[in-house]
C-alpha cells in the first residue's frame, strides 16, 4: 500500500496515451488525425510505455483528464462545423449559406502540410531536380531546423540562390501552390480558392541559416552578399539579435560587457527581458550590476527607437569581437574547433 501511495501520478503524454487506449480504433484515429506529427510520435511512444498500466493508474489518468476538462470549453474545437450547424438551424439552409458566404474566413486546404511528415532526405530528393524558386517555396514552408537540413542536402551550387530567393520571397500565388501540391501528390489536380500565401522573407531565411553548419553558413552568406549586400546584411541582422546574447557563457559575456559604455547598456536593457538582464548582470561584479540596475530604474520612459538602436550597437560590437576571435557568441552547439 505504501508503494502505491508514493508512486508518481500518471500525467502528461502518458495520461493522454492511457485515454487514447480506452477508445476504439476509429475513435482513436479521429483524435490522432488532429495532431501534429511530433505529437503523434510522442503519443505513439507513450502508448507503448503504458500498455501494461494498472487499473489504479487508469483511474488516475481519468481523474487528471476530468480535472483539466472542467477548466476548458469546446470553443475552438470543430468551431466551423458548430457555427454552420447553429446558423442553419436558426436561419434555414438558404439564408445560412448566404450569411456564411459573407462571414467565413477564406481558407485553403493545402497538401503542403504533408511536408511536415517527411524527413529532410525525402524532401531533398523530391525537389532536387526542380527550379530554385520551387526549392525556396518548399523550404519556406518547413520548420527552420528541417529546412536547414534540406538546404544542406541540395546541390551546393544552388544553396546561395535558394537562400536569396527565400529572403526575397513575396506572396505565393495559388497557381504556384497548386503546382507544388501536384509535385507532392504526383497527380493531384484539384483547384483551390483563397488568398495568396505569404511565406519566406529575411526573417525566415535567417531562421534557416541559424540552423546551418558554420562552414556552410559562411560560404552561403558570402555568396548572398556578392549578389545583394543589403539582403545579406539584413539576414545577418536577423540571425543574431539582442535576445540571442543569452546563449553566451559568463566569460564571453563579461568580455563583451567590458567594452560597452554604461550609458548604451542602460538604454539597451530598458527593453530587455528579465532572464537576459540577469544573465548580463551575472557577468559583472555585484557593484557594477547594481549601478546599472539603479540607473535603469532612475531613467524615465525611453523611446523604443532609442532602445533598438542601443541594442544594435551592442550586437554590432559582439559581431566584430566574434569575427576577431575575441569572444564566442554561442548558440550553435555543433561548432567546435
Amino acid at each position: 500500500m505504501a508503494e502505491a501511495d508514493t508512486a508518481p501520478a500518471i500525467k502528461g503524454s502518458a495520461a493522454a496515451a492511457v485515454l487514447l487506449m480506452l477508445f476504439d480504433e476509429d475513435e482513436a484515429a479521429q483524435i490522432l488525425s488532429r495532431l501534429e506529427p511530433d505529437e503523434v510520435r510522442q503519443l505513439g511512444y507513450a502508448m507503448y510505455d503504458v500498455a501494461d498500466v494498472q487499473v489504479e493508474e487508469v483511474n488516475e489518468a481519468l481523474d487528471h483528464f476530468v480535472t483539466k476538462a472542467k477548466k476548458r470549453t469546446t470553443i475552438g474545437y470543430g468551431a466551423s462545423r458548430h457555427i454552420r450547424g447553429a446558423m442553419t438551424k436558426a436561419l434555414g439552409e438558404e439564408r445560412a449559406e448566404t450569411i456564411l458566404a459573407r462571414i467565413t474566413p477564406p481558407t485553403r486546404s493545402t497538401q503542403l502540410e504533408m511536408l511536415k511528415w517527411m524527413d529532410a532526405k525525402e524532401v531533398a530528393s523530391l525537389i532536387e531536380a526542380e527550379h530554385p524558386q520551387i526549392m525556396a517555396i518548399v523550404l519556406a514552408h518547413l520548420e527552420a531546423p528541417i529546412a536547414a537540413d534540406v538546404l544542406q542536402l541540395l546541390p551546393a551550387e544552388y544553396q546561395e540562390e535558394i537562400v536569396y530567393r527565400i529572403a526575397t520571397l513575396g506572396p505565393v500565388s495559388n497557381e504556384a501552390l497548386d503546382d507544388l501540391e501536384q509535385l507532392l501528390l504526383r497527380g493531384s489536380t484539384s483547384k483551390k480558392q483563397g488568398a495568396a500565401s505569404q511565406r519566406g522573407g529575411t526573417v525566415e531565411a535567417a531562421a534557416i541559416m541559424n540552423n546551418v553548419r558554420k562552414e556552410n553558413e559562411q560560404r552561403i552568406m558570402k555568396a548572398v552578399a556578392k549578389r545583394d549586400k543589403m539582403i545579406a546584411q539584413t539576414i545577418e541582422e536577423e540571425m543574431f539579435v539582442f535576445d540571442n546574447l543569452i546563449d553566451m557563457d559568463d566569460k564571453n559575456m563579461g568580455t563583451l560587457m567590458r567594452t560597452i559604455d554604461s550609458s548604451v547598456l542602460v538604454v539597451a536593457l530598458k527593453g530587455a527581458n528579465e532572464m537576459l538582464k540577469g544573465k548580463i548582470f551575472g557577468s559583472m561584479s555585484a557593484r557594477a550590476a547594481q549601478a546599472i540596475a539603479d540607473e535603469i530604474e532612475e531613467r524615465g520612459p525611453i523611446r523604443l527607437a532609442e532602445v533598438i538602436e542601443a541594442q544594435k550597437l551592442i550586437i554590432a560590437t559582439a559581431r566584430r569581437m566574434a569575427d576577431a576571435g575575441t569572444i564566442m557568441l554561442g548558440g550553435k552547439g555543433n561548432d567546435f574547433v
Side-chain angles (χ1 to χ4, degrees):
M1 189 71 177
E3 289 182 3
D5 292 338
T6 57
I10 186 166
K11 293 182 179 179
S13 58
V18 169
L19 290 171
L20 201 60
M21 297 283 277
L22 297 177
F23 292 107
D24 64 33
E25 288 184 8
D26 290 339
E27 292 170 330
Q30 289 185 39
I31 294 171
L32 288 171
S33 69
R34 297 174 181 270
L35 303 179
E36 293 294 316
D38 287 343
E39 295 171 330
V40 174
R41 283 190 284 270
Q42 184 177 354
L43 199 50
Y45 288 131
M47 289 170 73
Y48 278 105
D49 290 339
V50 301
D52 298 321
V53 293
Q54 303 299 313
V55 173
E56 293 79 7
E57 292 176 300
V58 174
N59 289 334
E60 286 178 5
L62 288 170
D63 289 342
H64 180 64
F65 171 75
V66 170
T67 300
K68 291 180 74 69
K70 287 178 179 178
K71 300 176 182 178
R72 297 177 181 267
T73 72
T74 58
I75 294 175
Y77 187 80
S80 295
R81 184 170 54 194
H82 179 79
I83 294 168
R84 178 172 291 276
M87 287 279 191
T88 301
K89 288 181 180 179
L91 306 173
E93 187 170 348
E94 186 174 343
R95 292 175 63 194
E97 287 296 334
T98 301
I99 294 293
L100 288 167
R102 296 176 182 172
I103 67 172
T104 303
T107 58
R108 189 182 196 280
S109 175
T110 174
Q111 295 297 331
L112 288 173
E113 288 296 307
M114 72 181 293
L115 288 168
K116 293 181 180 179
W117 299 88
M118 301 169 69
D119 63 28
K121 288 184 179 179
E122 289 177 308
V123 178
S125 176
L126 186 65
I127 65 174
E128 63 183 355
E130 300 298 325
H131 189 277
Q133 183 71 5
I134 298 295
M135 297 178 183
I137 295 172
V138 169
L139 264 64
H141 281 81
L142 297 172
E143 294 295 323
I146 298 297
D149 289 341
V150 174
L151 178 66
Q152 294 171 100
L153 290 170
L154 294 172
E157 61 267 26
Y158 291 145
Q159 292 173 0
E160 166 266 323
E161 175 85 6
I162 294 166
V163 172
Y164 178 80
R165 286 177 179 271
I166 292 172
T168 56
L169 193 63
V172 181
S173 70
N174 283 306
E175 290 76 11
L177 291 178
D178 282 335
D179 289 342
L180 277 178
E181 289 185 357
Q182 291 179 27
L183 170 67
L184 293 173
L185 295 177
R186 297 299 184 185
S188 171
T189 57
S190 58
K191 291 295 179 181
K192 311 295 190 302
Q193 294 181 344
S197 174
Q198 174 65 61
R199 297 302 297 260
T202 53
V203 174
E204 195 143 358
I208 292 172
M209 292 306 300
N210 272 333
N211 287 275
V212 169
R213 290 190 297 274
K214 191 69 177 178
E215 64 272 18
N216 291 334
E217 173 203 316
Q218 292 174 340
R219 173 178 56 78
I220 293 170
M221 290 308 303
K222 185 177 180 180
V224 173
K226 284 184 178 179
R227 180 185 185 120
D228 191 319
K229 189 174 181 179
M230 186 64 69
I231 288 291
Q233 182 178 339
T234 305
I235 293 175
E236 288 179 345
E237 287 176 355
E238 297 288 355
M239 284 174 65
F240 192 80
V241 295
F242 193 69
D243 285 348
N244 293 139
L245 290 176
I246 201 165
D247 293 326
M248 296 176 65
D249 61 31
D250 290 341
K251 180 180 178 181
N252 285 292
M253 180 72 82
T255 302
L256 172 62
M257 288 301 113
R258 284 193 290 274
T259 69
I260 304 299
D261 189 275
S262 61
S263 62
V264 174
L265 186 57
V266 167
V267 176
L269 290 182
K270 192 75 174 180
N273 64 62
E274 293 303 316
M275 287 185 63
L276 180 54
K277 283 183 183 178
K279 178 82 171 180
I280 291 175
F281 288 155
S283 69
M284 304 176 177
S285 67
R287 181 176 179 180
Q290 188 59 54
I292 295 292
D294 290 343
E295 194 169 347
I296 291 173
E297 188 68 27
E298 291 170 4
R299 288 288 297 264
I302 301 177
R303 291 172 59 237
L304 180 60
E306 293 181 45
V307 173
I308 293 174
E309 188 60 32
Q311 292 180 351
K312 284 184 176 180
L313 285 173
I314 294 175
I315 290 301
T317 301
R319 280 210 189 92
R320 285 196 300 271
M321 294 178 70
D323 290 341
T326 308
I327 62 172
M328 292 182 64
L329 295 178
K332 289 194 178 183
N334 293 328
D335 295 323
F336 295 96
V337 292

